[in-house]
């Protein structure tokens, strides 16, 4: 080989490596559909259009990265909420686990209903009964003790129908959406009526959302020094309810910016979507409609589906969605795959 | 030129460009001191040592990027708090501006004291009086109206001694520290007794801290729909006091992680530093001591300096700092330059 040929080859090899690196990066993007679990249709198209116009700096709808805030309800929007909220299943299991230390619960409502497995009597105990259950199961320990309890429960508890850990019941299309938004510079937040310290131990692993981007309901905590060590004790008192009109309040309190995109599935999300939609510029508001009793559940306003006691999606919300251009996602039609474990 | 020489030159030029890019990146780091306004000494060294050992993946004290949370008090830690908290100056100006609409204030305390410029009478009105002032000046408008009022005030208000906008009274060494920590993968938060919606309009520009990383005291807000448009109205009721034992509570509520570094300057920061220090692994806790009445102010425990009514740094806190290894920053000795406008 001549010396000239050697230099030619070196230069060529270098250019080849650079070109290959560039091409493979480009084609990886082009070839794999970031929303592969979504069927082609208005739902998927609305997402693609919104991301395109808000991230293209030449677009009149461009949104600077710092303002790309997207908020997601959790129960029924990111994961299954039937036949009951995951956190309620946790509370019931916790009451059963604590029952030996509380013999009086055998004869006291609402605990008796839980121990008897009488969900009808539990429902009759209403909001007041529910609150008592929450306080008995969620308060009276430090924040780090509670975190360990929640993690332990998630490690063993299984959903009654799907027979899988609750953490596997995230909707694959929504997890793809979270990744797709983050890959496009959006900051994704959970804004849920659920307890913030119940969600935080699992949101990073399940959704890729760190604890500081989880907003939820909370009970009061108190700083105490026990045996020289500071702890935050969980008190049996409501601090904040992050539902309905509480969602914009929570968003403003935690984030201090108005979201440009918001995703929900029930009447509890209406004000979050209104608040998001009332800002200037491009916005995306979407509601998940549960209309697939084969692969998941069917409840809500469509075709006379029965409303559930939890996660109500009323006809009034459906009407407001139509009037304001919120996109309704049909699980049945828009989602090709619902869970990661689906074939 | 032979063809061989041409290829040689091309390859050489390419390598030269790459090397130059690499070298200049390295030397830019090495040559400019990221903490240039800090004098050499134990304060600066403590920061450098902490960052080195927590970011070196081979170190036993390594902290993964996601857990690199650093929290900063604001008044007296990041900017001037004398002769009164900036937010109190705002409240007084606001009461004066609103006085024509409130003729009764001329004869009602604590408003009379403000309008008469009688700070002694104002101090005598105590916490209750202060609360009345805050409610009169901070509530009764929407969050976006309040933001506009705060921005307008920051644009014209000046500090009585330095005759400059309050936003120029950030401590240059602390701004360098914020940048240095962020450049090393830390997420920087403000955790202040001040009002969260009073700080957010300025923290990005002054400290590079976005609104979602500002934790502070707050009044209640309420979601309302006015003429078809959603607003968050600010109500005259306390929501949360982010001071003393409230700081760990606020940190847990907003972030859901324990900081690895915390910076304060008063008794109000003690619990935040205790909470930070009680975690496992490497920690850095620092307190700014105001001992420089030439360039700024002198108050606190050193050398019989008089305590101020605001931002008290008691001898008990100094003792706890010594006992727990918290680093006390002497403004006089540790800071070569205090403000960006200093020569």
């Amino acid at each position: 080989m001549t010396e000239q040929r050697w230099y030619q080859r070196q230069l060529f090899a270098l250019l080849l490596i650079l070109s290959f690196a560039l091409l493979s990066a480009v084609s990886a993007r082009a070839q794999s559909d970031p929303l592969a679990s979504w069927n082609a249709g208005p739902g998927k198209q609305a997402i693609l259009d919104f991301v395109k116009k808000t991230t293209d700096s030449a677009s009149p709808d461009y949104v600077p990265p710092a303002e790309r805030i997207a908020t997601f309800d959790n129960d029924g929007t990111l994961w299954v909420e039937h036949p009951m909220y995951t956190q309620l299943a946790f509370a019931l299991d916790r009451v059963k686990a604590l029952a030996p230390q509380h013999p009086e619960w055998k004869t006291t409502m609402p605990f008796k209903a839980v121990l008897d497995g009488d969900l009808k009597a539990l429902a009759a105990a209403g909001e007041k009964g529910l609150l008592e259950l929450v306080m008995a199961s969620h308060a009276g320990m430090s924040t780090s003790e509670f975190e360990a309890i929640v993690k332990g429960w998630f490690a063993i508890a299984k959903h009654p129908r799907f027979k899988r850990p609750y953490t596997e019941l995230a909707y694959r299309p929504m997890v793809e959406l979270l990744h797709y938004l983050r890959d496009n510079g959006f900051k994704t937040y959970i804004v849920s009526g659920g307890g913030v310290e119940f969600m935080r131990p699992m949101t990073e692993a399940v959704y890729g959302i760190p604890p500081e981007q989880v907003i939820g309901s909370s009970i009061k905590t108190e700083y105490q020094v026990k045996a020289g060590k500071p702890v935050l004790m969980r008190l049996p008192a409501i601090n904040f309810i992050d539902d309905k009109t509480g969602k914009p309040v929570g968003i403003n309190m935690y984030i201090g910016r108005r979201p440009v995109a918001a995703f929900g599935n029930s009447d509890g999300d209406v004000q979050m979507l209104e608040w998001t939609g009332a800002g200037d510029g491009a916005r995306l508001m979407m509601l998940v409609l549960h209309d697939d009793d084969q692969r998941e559940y069917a409840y809500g306003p469509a075709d006379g589906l029965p409303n559930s006691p939890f996660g109500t999606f009323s006809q009034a919300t459906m009407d407001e969605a139509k009037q304001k251009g919120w996109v309704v996602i049909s699980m049945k039609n828009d989602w090709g795959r619902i869970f990661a474990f689906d074939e």
Side-chain angles (χ1 to χ4, degrees), chain A residues 77-103:
Chain A
T77 300
L78 293 180
W79 75 359
V80 174
E81 66 179 352
H82 265 237
M84 65 173 73
Y85 290 145
T86 306
Q87 193 169 359
L88 181 58
F90 165 77
L92 301 189
D93 282 356
R94 186 88 194 121
V95 164
K96 287 172 200 158
L98 291 171
Q101 299 159 48
H102 296 273

Side-chain angles (χ1 to χ4, degrees), chain A residues 270-282:
Chain A
V270 164
Q271 287 82 3
M272 174 168 75
L273 269 62
E274 288 174 349
W275 178 246
T276 301
D280 297 328

Side-chain angles (χ1 to χ4, degrees), chain A residues 10-336:
Chain A
Q10 292 296 311
L11 188 56
F12 185 73
L14 202 63
L15 289 173
L16 202 71
I17 289 164
L18 286 172
S19 312
F20 183 77
L22 198 72
L23 272 173
S24 63
V26 169
S27 71
R29 287 244 159 217
Q31 281 172 10
S32 73
D33 180 355
L35 300 176
S37 299
W38 290 73
N39 293 327
K44 183 172 185 171
Q45 201 54 50
I47 296 166
L48 294 171
D49 290 348
F50 175 76
V51 169
K52 187 158 185 264
K53 68 184 173 185
T54 53
T55 57
D56 173 2
S57 59
S59 155
D61 292 315
Y62 178 72
V63 175
E67 291 167 26
R68 291 182 202 158
I69 303 287
T71 54
F72 290 80
D73 170 60
N74 185 37
D75 297 301
T77 300
L78 293 180
W79 75 359
V80 174
E81 66 179 352
H82 265 237
M84 65 173 73
Y85 290 145
T86 306
Q87 193 169 359
L88 181 58
F90 165 77
L92 301 189
D93 282 356
R94 186 88 194 121
V95 164
K96 287 172 200 158
L98 291 171
Q101 299 159 48
H102 296 273
E104 74 281 10
W105 284 356
K106 277 186 195 155
T107 52
T108 322
M109 288 297 280
F111 304 99
K112 182 180 181 326
V114 176
L115 300 178
D116 295 349
D118 185 350
L119 287 181
K120 214 167 162 181
L122 181 61
E127 213 168 285
K128 189 177 157 289
L130 206 62
L131 201 63
E132 280 184 76
L133 281 187
V134 169
M135 293 314 169
S137 53
H138 286 65
M141 70 291 277
S142 73
T143 51
S144 56
E145 285 164 348
F146 184 69
E147 186 185 350
I149 292 166
V150 171
K151 281 184 174 170
W153 184 81
F154 272 124
I156 55 157
K158 293 216 163 116
H159 187 275
R161 172 173 158 191
F162 295 103
K163 315 288 184 206
R164 287 175 178 271
Y166 288 92
T167 48
E168 291 184 19
L169 297 182
Y171 304 132
R172 181 72 202 162
M174 295 305 281
V175 173
E176 288 173 0
L177 174 56
L178 288 166
H179 279 98
Y180 179 59
L181 288 172
R182 288 196 294 262
D183 286 347
N184 282 282
F186 286 80
K187 206 164 174 179
T188 54
Y189 281 84
I190 287 175
V191 179
S192 168
V196 65
E197 298 205 65
F198 178 74
M199 296 183 284
R200 280 174 173 162
M202 67 81 196
T203 56
E204 179 80 61
V206 176
Y207 308 124
I209 295 181
E212 62 267 32
Q213 284 160 232
V214 180
I215 303 172
S217 298
S218 54
I219 59 177
K220 287 192 188 299
T221 63
E222 186 178 74
Y223 184 81
Q224 297 177 7
V225 179
K226 288 195 167 180
K229 202 170 159 63
V231 291
L232 287 170
M233 291 302 292
R234 292 171 58 82
L235 308 183
I238 292 291
N239 177 57
F240 178 60
I241 299 291
D242 190 45
D243 197 32
K244 296 192 170 69
T245 57
K247 291 206 176 192
V249 169
I251 288 169
N252 183 63
M253 183 162 66
Y254 278 77
I255 312 178
R257 299 188 200 261
R258 192 192 299 260
V260 292
F263 305 85
N265 80 305
S266 80
D267 294 0
D269 302 311
V270 164
Q271 287 82 3
M272 174 168 75
L273 269 62
E274 288 174 349
W275 178 246
T276 301
D280 297 328
R283 304 279 148 172
L284 179 64
M285 282 72 67
M286 299 184 91
L287 286 170
V288 175
L289 177 66
H290 294 261
D291 58 358
D292 191 336
D293 59 359
Q294 294 300 306
R295 297 185 298 171
E296 204 243 10
Y297 294 95
Y299 51 101
D303 300 321
L305 299 171
N307 271 323
S308 92
F310 309 110
T312 305
F313 185 152
S314 69
Q315 187 59 49
T317 292
M318 183 60 100
D319 293 344
E320 185 169 347
K322 275 185 189 145
Q323 187 228 319
K324 296 192 169 154
W326 301 347
V327 181
V328 175
I329 299 163
S330 159
M331 292 184 83
K332 195 172 181 173
N333 302 321
D334 285 319
W335 290 357

